Amino acid sequence: MTSILQDCSVIHNELEEFENDVMLGLSAIHKNISSKYLYDAIGSDLFNQITRHPDYYLTRCEIEIINDNKEKFSNIIKQEPFNLVELGPGEGVKSKILIEQFLNDSLSFTYMPIDISKKYLTHLLSKLKDSYPHLNAESVNSDFLQGLTWIKEHSKKRNIVLFLGSSIGNFNSLQAKEFFYHLRESLNPGDYVLIGFDLCKDPEILINAYNDKDKITSEFNYNLLARMNRELNANFNIEKFRHYPVYNVYNSEMESYLISLEPQVVYIGNLKRSFVFHEIEPIHIEISHKYRLLEIEQFAANAGFNIVNNYMDKKNYFVDSLWQVQ
Ligand code: AVJ
């Protein structure tokens, strides 16, 4: 296996960015911290555990969809050598199903995962190397759109971009619309994208998925407080906060909050500042948008993609939507 690591990340100070974002977020009238800070090493490990939990149906449904349709995907894209680009591969469970199918069908492709974590990429590539000695892989260490732009400048091959897991759900509708517009700009006509969207469903199923009975999702959220204690010298007493997920039926968004169970003051050493929390005051942590097919069609049309097909699981909980650049 050939494996290359392209480093296209902009040089920036991660700790400083975390400090600035926490300062702004906890000073706001409605306290908030970006969900991207959930994913340090401990948080990423907890997230991987969530994806295997029975209450978190999303990953299971998407694996079913990919398994049921892998031959079809292979037939659609088989004509010529291509780049199999993946935005945020995670553990690569789903992409491995496709990689295996494409290798069995003797398709000519290079797997190109794009991720901001160099450690994650290196680990993923070494695992893939063991399983598939004949796979060509080139990982790109950068944020998604920058990485795609790098690929556009360095390769003339057709791109098949995987954006799985309903990662798009962390964006609100406006942010998603802008993201798809930029995605379209960084691709060439004929390129494909396969995007995972979690669909609207019974709110009770949603609440359970974001509040699993083994409390892994709670731990995942509490880890953000623990991370601020570790990295920013904060003194959050985690027992005085509770994970509080709600489904907002007006805008189809799961919202996760950490709520302060009592009035308290938290000191953050690196910021040399205290933050006052009222009783039951929330910190907004994450949204996970749930979609309707109509909305997905509008996203595609707005950004200049044609929908090739929508692939769903048997329960119609989740869709992998295959788009092609016009
Ligand atoms: C990684 C954004 C797809 O929103 O479902 C899982 C993150 N948060 N449980 C999601 C998450 C709580 C997940 N995404």
Side-chain angles (χ1 to χ4, degrees):
M1 165 167 137
T2 58
S3 83
I4 310 166
L5 180 90
Q6 300 295 347
D7 198 336
C8 350
S9 53
V10 227
I11 297 153
H12 64 291
N13 185 330
E14 278 175 38
L15 180 63
E16 216 168 87
E17 195 183 327
F18 189 26
E19 287 169 351
N20 289 339
D21 285 350
V22 168
M23 182 65 141
L24 274 176
L26 293 186
S27 308
I29 295 176
H30 293 125
K31 292 186 170 66
N32 64 88
I33 299 176
S34 164
S35 60
K36 74 178 180 191
Y37 293 113
L38 291 166
Y39 300 91
D40 65 345
I42 296 172
S44 299
D45 184 60
L46 287 164
F47 176 67
N48 291 338
Q49 290 181 43
I50 292 172
T51 63
R52 288 188 278 274
H53 194 281
D55 291 341
Y56 191 75
Y57 60 87
L58 289 82
T59 311
R60 204 169 51 251
C61 290
E62 196 171 38
I63 290 175
E64 176 191 324
I65 294 167
I66 291 175
N67 262 317
D68 287 353
N69 296 286
K70 56 190 179 187
E71 290 95 351
K72 284 183 209 143
F73 295 143
S74 184
N75 268 317
I76 291 173
I77 58 179
K78 69 178 170 204
Q79 312 95 327
E80 57 206 89
F82 60 91
N83 303 316
L84 181 65
V85 180
E86 180 160 30
L87 310 183
E91 291 186 296
V93 177
K94 289 162 275 188
S95 30
K96 268 176 108 170
I97 302 170
L98 291 174
I99 287 172
E100 209 160 303
Q101 180 69 34
F102 298 165
L103 288 174
N104 286 339
D105 292 347
S106 306
L107 304 194
S108 160
F109 68 100
T110 303
Y111 177 58
M112 302 179 112
I114 305 178
D115 203 283
I116 41 167
S117 164
K118 191 184 271 183
K119 243 195 255 163
Y120 231 81
L121 285 174
T122 313
H123 182 68
L124 176 71
L125 279 232
S126 84
K127 276 199 314 187
L128 285 174
K129 199 172 189 156
D130 295 340
S131 313
Y132 312 107
H134 298 298
L135 176 70
N136 292 319
E138 191 168 334
S139 58
V140 180
N141 180 215
S142 88
D143 76 35
F144 297 158
L145 294 173
Q146 251 184 327
L148 284 167
T149 305
W150 185 90
I151 292 170
K152 185 174 181 164
E153 283 163 5
H154 289 82
S155 166
K156 292 274 159 286
K157 291 180 198 160
R158 171 174 287 181
N159 297 301
I160 317 294
V161 179
L162 306 175
F163 190 34
L164 304 177
S166 202
S167 303
I168 187 71
N170 278 168
F171 291 152
N172 65 33
S173 292
L174 183 64
Q175 291 166 330
K177 188 176 164 183
E178 283 172 2
F179 176 80
F180 289 132
Y181 179 81
H182 292 302
L183 178 64
R184 160 70 184 81
E185 275 190 318
S186 61
L187 295 170
N188 300 306
D191 285 354
Y192 290 99
V193 292
L194 184 68
I195 308 162
F197 295 94
D198 193 22
L199 296 170
C200 291
K201 60 182 64 61
D202 183 344
E204 208 166 295
I205 299 169
L206 295 173
I207 293 278
N208 289 338
Y210 290 88
N211 199 16
D212 67 89
K213 52 181 164 310
D214 293 309
K215 305 278 174 232
I216 304 168
T217 310
S218 303
E219 280 308 312
F220 176 60
N221 284 283
Y222 297 148
N223 176 56
L224 184 52
L225 302 178
R227 181 179 182 183
M228 288 190 275
N229 288 349
R230 286 190 298 268
E231 295 181 22
L232 307 182
N233 296 299
N235 66 353
F236 282 96
N237 181 345
I238 293 161
E239 270 150 39
K240 291 187 181 172
F241 286 85
R242 191 200 294 150
H243 165 56
Y244 185 70
V246 277
Y247 183 61
N248 184 329
V249 286
Y250 280 110
N251 57 18
S252 314
E253 278 166 7
M254 268 309 303
E255 300 170 345
S256 286
Y257 297 94
L258 286 162
I259 55 174
S260 173
L261 295 176
E262 54 186 74
Q264 54 180 317
V265 178
V266 174
Y267 183 70
I268 302 189
N270 288 24
L271 306 181
K272 298 189 176 66
R273 250 206 68 170
S274 297
F275 296 89
V276 173
F277 288 83
H278 302 291
E279 190 174 359
I280 316 300
E281 182 177 353
I283 312 173
H284 181 284
I285 304 296
E286 184 179 43
I287 65 159
S288 299
H289 192 90
K290 305 304 161 193
Y291 299 87
R292 296 197 170 82
L293 289 178
L294 182 66
E295 193 181 359
I296 295 171
E297 283 163 21
Q298 287 165 348
F299 278 139
N302 257 318
F305 293 92
N306 292 323
I307 298 187
V308 180
N309 212 340
N310 285 319
Y311 303 90
M312 279 183 260
D313 60 294
K314 285 178 202 73
K315 288 180 170 159
N316 291 340
Y317 278 5
F318 200 95
V319 63
D320 275 335
S321 194
L322 182 64
W323 300 358
Q324 189 169 33
V325 179
Q326 285 164 3

